[in-house]
Structure formats: structure tokens, C-alpha cells
Amino acid sequence: MDRNLYCKNPWNCLELNNDGKCFFCNPCFSNFNLIGNIFEDSIEEIWNGERAQNFRRDVMERKYTYCNYENCNGNKTENLEYNSTIAPLPEYINIGYDYTCAQRCIICRDEHQALPPEICKKWEDALETHILPITKNVKYMFINCRGEFFDSAHTQKMYAAIIANNPNIKVDFISNGIKCTEENLKKHNLLDKIFRVHISLHAATRETYKKIFRVDKFNDVMKNIEFISSLKKSGKLEDFEIMFVITAENYKDMPKFVELAQKLDARAAFSACIGGYAEYIMNRENYAVFYQNHHNYNDFVKMLKNPIFNDRQHCFLPDYLRELKPVSLKHSIKNKIKYFARTKLNMKLEQTKDDISIFSHDTYK
């Protein structure tokens, strides 16, 4: 995000996160600087309390002390229309606490996850007293940035109650696309509500998709994406984004991913912000191709010079990635030697484990 621009989120956006924690946007982009807790504070204390006002003042001064602005493609503007640290209640709310998902892509998680029943009950018990009053007059709702809407009966129940209470609300929707069919969109009263759709795709080819998601559903997802694209092309959808978190497993797909976005009349949104995601973090040395010490870093930087990334209409690529410079040949060779030495060592360790297992079996059978 350009520091010369202003972010509008602190004046019009509220995100409800794990344990009722409240933020102005995705915690990864606001460096987990919370402004309150929906279960502990009143909405006025959250929205116009000291923490919220300090955050707004910081943005008004364009300091972005509380923000991970380099990775943010946020709600930015050249001229800030707000001149006060006090703001009316938000127009946009993000219901983002339910991490339930039946998939286990390498970017997100190592196993299938579901929100525990006791947490679901806590939120459902708070529906009448906390959630519906906040969402009664909001214009837009983002659902669900932590998990998969179609895998969570709880989120579906909460969503149904919110739109019954506020039938004019418009929905900003995110999904992995696997169950995002026309039938399911109609079934859950989403088709006529959505104004923006984000699909977490992370690949432009079937083979790469299988590496990222560990399932072979690329063709099914593409059918659903093509339907969403038809909504965008017919004017029924304001915005359509296909999302791509960069890893060593998928970066070579990036030019094709922009081509796919052009075909779909969508925006390819690239990010190197991976938050606390399990396997990615555990294998950072292998996955983080955008780090200088990665053995394929120079290849990645060279790939970024492809002129297709200059299509700003169909491609969002953070400026700091555009500005990456190659490392020296000596540095690059050193990285590759380290990688191959580490790979060989890991192979030996795995073989040793196998030998020990065989020995133990033969000894005690």
C-alpha cells in the first residue's frame, strides 16, 4: 500500500475475529492491533474508544504505525473524506471468526478444521444481543475470510439470521470455489446478495493446484469460477478476484494466472502475506521463494519482469515484490548448495528412520 494514500477502513469497516476480537481489517494487515472485544465491550467503546481513535489519528497522519502496509492492497484513497477520529457506526462488517474448512491446502492448514461446538454456541447465544444490533444497518458484509462458508453449518445459520434482520445487506464473499456452484449460491440466498467474490485458487494449472490443495478438483473449481465470471461479465457482480498466495510450489504459474484473470474479467491478487499458516511457516525455507536466501529467488525475480504484470486492471502485485532485485551469482550459488545439502541430509534422515523401523520390526517380531 502506498503511504501517500489514505486507508478508509478505520472509518467504515469492522472485523469480528476469534474470541470476539475486533479489528479494522484483516489482522495480518493491521498487525493484530485490536480495537476491542464484542463479548466484553459495548459497540461504542469498540468503535470510538481510545484504541480506535489512536488508529484513525495514525492513518490521518499517514504513519501507518499499526499496519502491515507493504502487503496491503486495502481500501485506499488519495483524499480522505474524514476529518475526525470519531466515526459513525461502520457500513462494512466482516464476520471472520469461523475457520471451519474441509480442505487442507499447504497455505492454510495441515488438517481439516472445524469450529468447536462450544464456540459455535457462544456466538449463536450472542446473536440477538451482540451481532444483530451491529449488523442491523450495515450496507456490506464480508463472509467468511477464515474458513469456507459452504463447509460450516454454523456460519450458514448466522448468515441467514443476519440477512433476515437486514434484507438490504450486500455480501462480499470469499470461497475456495469447490462448492461455490450456482445451486449452492441460490440455496443459501447468496446469488442475489453478492456484489464481490474472491476465490482462493493459488494455481493456474491442474498439476499446481494438486500440489497446493492436495486434492484433484481443479476442473470442478474452474466450472464454478466460469459461472462467477459470467455474473461479472453480465454486470450482476461488481468485482471478481482470484487470489494467489505465492510459494515455491506455484510461482511459475503466476503469468498464466494473470492470463486466466484476463479471460475471466477478474483481478489476479498476489500476496506473500501468509500470517500464521501451518505448513507454510514450518517449511519457510523451502516455500518462501520471495526471500533472498531461497534457492530459486533469482528465478522468481526474473519471472516478475514479465510485462503481463503491468496489466494493473487484471493484476494486483504488491509494489515491494515489483521492486525486488536479484542477488549476486555467488549468493545464488551458495543458496542452491545449501538447499541441495539440506535436501540430501533430509533424505539420509528419512532413510535412517526407515532402517531403524525395519531393524525394530526384525528384532522384535
Side-chain angles (χ1 to χ4, degrees):
M1 180 174 174
D2 188 343
R3 278 201 184 206
N4 294 318
L5 299 175
Y6 296 98
C7 177
K8 297 187 289 185
N9 275 8
W11 284 266
N12 61 20
C13 180
L14 177 66
E15 174 161 333
L16 306 182
N17 210 268
N18 296 342
D19 302 322
K21 294 175 182 177
C22 299
F23 302 87
F24 283 131
C25 68
N26 187 316
C28 290
F29 298 139
S30 58
N31 288 331
F32 295 87
N33 285 294
L34 75 160
I35 57 173
N37 190 300
I38 196 67
F39 297 122
E40 301 171 3
D41 309 307
S42 70
I43 183 59
E44 186 59 32
E45 289 171 332
I46 295 169
W47 190 245
N48 282 315
E50 182 179 357
R51 284 176 287 191
Q53 291 195 56
N54 287 340
F55 201 116
R56 293 189 187 108
R57 186 176 297 108
D58 187 74
V59 171
M60 291 172 73
E61 296 171 359
R62 290 184 294 195
K63 293 180 179 178
Y64 295 106
T65 307
Y66 303 103
C67 301
N68 179 8
Y69 66 91
E70 288 185 338
N71 277 304
C72 180
N73 63 346
N75 188 10
K76 53 196 176 185
T77 180
E78 292 184 1
N79 299 304
L80 190 65
E81 58 189 278
Y82 314 100
N83 56 13
S84 174
T85 59
I86 300 291
L89 290 178
E91 295 183 344
Y92 184 105
I93 192 164
N94 181 354
I95 310 295
Y97 62 84
D98 186 356
Y99 50 78
T100 300
C101 184
Q103 303 307 313
R104 54 183 198 96
C105 67
I106 65 170
I107 293 163
C108 295
R109 58 199 79 197
D110 291 325
E111 57 188 16
H112 305 149
Q113 295 181 355
L115 201 65
E118 62 272 19
I119 302 299
C120 293
K121 184 178 185 303
K122 182 177 181 180
W123 281 95
E124 290 168 14
D125 289 346
L127 185 62
E128 295 287 341
T129 56
H130 295 75
I131 309 303
L132 295 185
I134 296 177
T135 58
K136 175 65 178 176
N137 296 310
V138 298
K139 294 180 179 179
Y140 310 100
M141 178 171 61
F142 189 23
I143 190 168
N144 174 15
C145 66
R146 291 291 174 275
E148 175 59 40
F149 176 90
F150 296 112
D151 291 334
S152 174
H154 165 73
T155 289
Q156 293 165 16
K157 179 179 179 179
M158 298 291 283
Y159 169 74
I162 290 170
I163 61 170
N165 188 55
N166 182 357
N168 295 320
I169 202 167
K170 293 184 177 180
V171 177
D172 193 349
F173 190 68
I174 187 168
S175 171
N176 58 36
I178 293 173
K179 298 178 183 177
C180 195
T181 63
E182 180 179 6
E183 180 182 2
N184 278 335
L185 289 170
K186 288 179 178 178
K187 174 183 176 181
H188 294 288
N189 198 10
L190 281 162
L191 191 56
D192 295 328
K193 297 288 184 184
I194 52 176
F195 75 96
R196 181 187 293 134
V197 174
H198 316 255
I199 298 294
S200 298
L201 187 56
H202 313 304
T205 63
R206 180 182 175 188
E207 290 305 311
T208 302
Y209 183 91
K210 287 192 289 186
K211 293 178 182 178
I212 300 298
F213 282 87
R214 298 186 270 211
V215 294
D216 186 8
K217 296 187 177 181
F218 181 74
N219 292 337
D220 295 334
V221 172
M222 286 308 303
K223 290 178 182 178
N224 297 335
I225 286 178
E226 285 166 5
F227 170 70
I228 296 168
S229 173
S230 72
L231 298 177
K232 175 66 165 56
K233 291 176 179 178
S234 65
K236 296 178 181 179
L237 197 63
E238 293 180 23
D239 194 20
F240 179 27
E241 180 177 83
I242 51 176
M243 301 167 64
F244 190 112
V245 175
I246 300 166
T247 78
E249 297 286 354
N250 65 1
Y251 78 93
K252 292 182 180 180
D253 269 18
M254 289 173 66
K256 290 182 179 179
F257 199 74
V258 179
E259 291 177 2
L260 178 61
Q262 292 170 338
K263 176 184 175 182
L264 297 168
D265 192 20
R267 179 176 58 259
F270 296 104
S271 173
C273 178
I274 40 71
Y277 299 146
E279 182 168 329
Y280 197 115
I281 288 293
M282 294 300 292
N283 294 281
R284 180 182 292 274
E285 287 185 339
N286 291 336
Y287 283 142
V289 70
F290 42 82
Y291 284 172
Q292 288 188 352
N293 287 335
H294 194 277
H295 58 284
N296 282 334
Y297 172 80
N298 274 0
D299 186 52
F300 172 67
V301 173
K302 181 179 179 181
M303 183 272 304
L304 292 179
K305 304 305 177 185
N306 190 317
I308 198 167
F309 297 115
N310 295 329
D311 180 1
R312 303 280 180 144
Q313 178 183 349
H314 297 100
C315 173
F316 169 77
L317 183 67
D319 288 340
Y320 79 93
L321 289 177
R322 294 179 182 274
E323 296 165 2
L324 289 178
K325 305 296 182 184
V327 297
S328 67
L329 179 61
K330 181 180 179 180
H331 191 152
S332 180
I333 292 174
K334 184 178 178 181
N335 289 341
K336 291 184 182 296
I337 291 173
K338 283 184 177 180
Y339 168 73
F340 288 116
R342 187 167 61 245
T343 301
K344 191 171 183 180
L345 176 60
N346 288 339
M347 291 174 64
K348 286 185 177 180
L349 289 173
E350 290 300 319
Q351 182 60 51
T352 300
K353 289 179 184 177
D354 291 341
D355 291 344
I356 291 173
S357 176
I358 293 171
F359 174 79
S360 300
H361 179 73
D362 290 341
T363 302
Y364 297 105
K365 66 181 179 179

